[in-house]
Amino acid sequence: MPAETTALEAEIAKFDALAERWWDPDGPMAPLHRMNPLRCGWIAQRLAASEGRQGEDLSGLTLLDVGCGAGLASEGMARLGARVTGLDAAGTALEAARAHATRSGLEIDYRQGRPEELAAEGARFDAVIALEVIEHVADRGAFLAALASVTKPGGCVFLSTLNRTPKSFLFAKVGAEYLLRLLPRGTHDWKMFVTPAELGAEARKAGLRVTDIAGMTPKLGTKDWQASSDVSVNYIAAARKE
């Protein structure tokens, strides 16, 4: 599978340019900082349960964070005990990730590249996560196939993304980028947002069966996010490799 099938160079450059401010909780990645505890907790609970464990115990499990950027989710999962490999095509963002992990005393294996390249090396992981990534790739089907290829049989794949609805256009595109300026303009292309039905169908073609899905919504009056039944804007999904 050629590398170009799962990455858009313009998207890589866009997020590489944000590397220096990635860890600023009030900077351009502020929405991800606020969302990250929910994402990591939701994933950890389901991954631990799939291994017959209680709570969020990920001790010793191997996890690949695809499109890890500067490492927000990678660090969150490492703090829960997972042996994390962070993968991204953006080299400057990875430099920021390595520096922050060192300052935080965390051992995370950050690598520059794409999942299909790891698959060609024979790498396999207990779980693979790709958070706010699939809406930026060139070919969703090829991307999902690449995620499946680096997942052990029976392993878990977790994705979070944005639904393609009028509400998401209003809130995640116009509101977040142009009115409230929570994100840099041009962060998202609404036409590339993914409906849950599309994600489920494309995952099945890649040998992945969606087992759980939840909306991610802000808690009123706080900066925190919560899981909900409302998938009209942000949502997160769990899938198992068949």
Side-chain angles (χ1 to χ4, degrees), residues 15 18 21-22 24-25 27-34 72 182-183:
F15 290 100
L18 298 172
R21 298 194 63 198
W22 207 292
D24 179 357
M29 291 297 156
L32 293 188
H33 279 269
R34 295 168 187 172
L72 285 180
L182 299 175
L183 295 169

Side-chain angles (χ1 to χ4, degrees), residues 12-95:
I12 295 168
K14 180 191 304 180
F15 290 100
D16 220 6
L18 298 172
E20 290 186 359
R21 298 194 63 198
W22 207 292
W23 280 98
D24 179 357
D26 298 315
M29 291 297 156
L32 293 188
H33 279 269
R34 295 168 187 172
M35 192 186 298
N36 201 50
L38 167 60
R39 301 187 308 181
C40 291
W42 194 91
I43 290 168
Q45 290 169 10
R46 283 150 185 81
L47 179 53
S50 74
E51 297 288 333
R53 303 181 183 188
Q54 299 294 319
E56 299 178 355
D57 176 19
L58 304 184
S59 302
L61 296 179
T62 58
L63 183 144
L64 176 65
D65 181 7
V66 176
C68 64
L72 285 180
S74 291
E75 290 202 9
M77 304 312 289
R79 293 181 189 280
L80 295 173
R83 292 163 49 200
V84 178
T85 298
L87 183 71
D88 206 292
T92 306
L94 286 175
E95 290 175 10

Side-chain angles (χ1 to χ4, degrees), residues 62-128:
T62 58
L63 183 144
L64 176 65
D65 181 7
V66 176
C68 64
L72 285 180
S74 291
E75 290 202 9
M77 304 312 289
R79 293 181 189 280
L80 295 173
R83 292 163 49 200
V84 178
T85 298
L87 183 71
D88 206 292
T92 306
L94 286 175
E95 290 175 10
R98 293 186 184 104
H100 197 274
T102 298
R103 291 195 299 270
S104 302
L106 296 171
E107 292 187 11
I108 298 172
D109 178 18
Y110 284 113
R111 300 184 57 174
Q112 185 169 3
R114 299 170 174 85
E116 55 268 31
E117 295 164 352
L118 283 187
E121 297 174 12
R124 300 292 183 271
F125 298 84
D126 295 312
V128 176

Side-chain angles (χ1 to χ4, degrees), residues 141-220:
F143 180 70
L144 288 165
L147 299 187
S149 69
V150 289
T151 306
K152 293 178 180 178
C156 297
V157 174
F158 297 91
L159 303 106
S160 60
T161 188
L162 290 140
N163 198 350
R164 194 176 63 257
T165 62
K167 184 176 178 180
S168 72
F169 181 78
L170 177 63
F171 284 91
K173 182 63 183 177
V174 177
E177 295 184 22
Y178 291 88
L179 299 180
L180 300 178
R181 299 186 180 180
L182 299 175
L183 295 169
R185 291 185 179 184
T187 297
H188 292 117
D189 180 348
W190 180 81
K191 295 187 297 295
M192 294 178 70
F193 289 4
V194 190
T195 71
E198 289 169 341
L199 182 63
E202 292 164 1
R204 283 195 298 275
K205 291 180 181 179
L208 301 170
R209 178 175 56 86
V210 174
T211 57
D212 202 355
I213 188 169
M216 297 189 294
T217 55
K219 279 186 181 179
L220 292 178

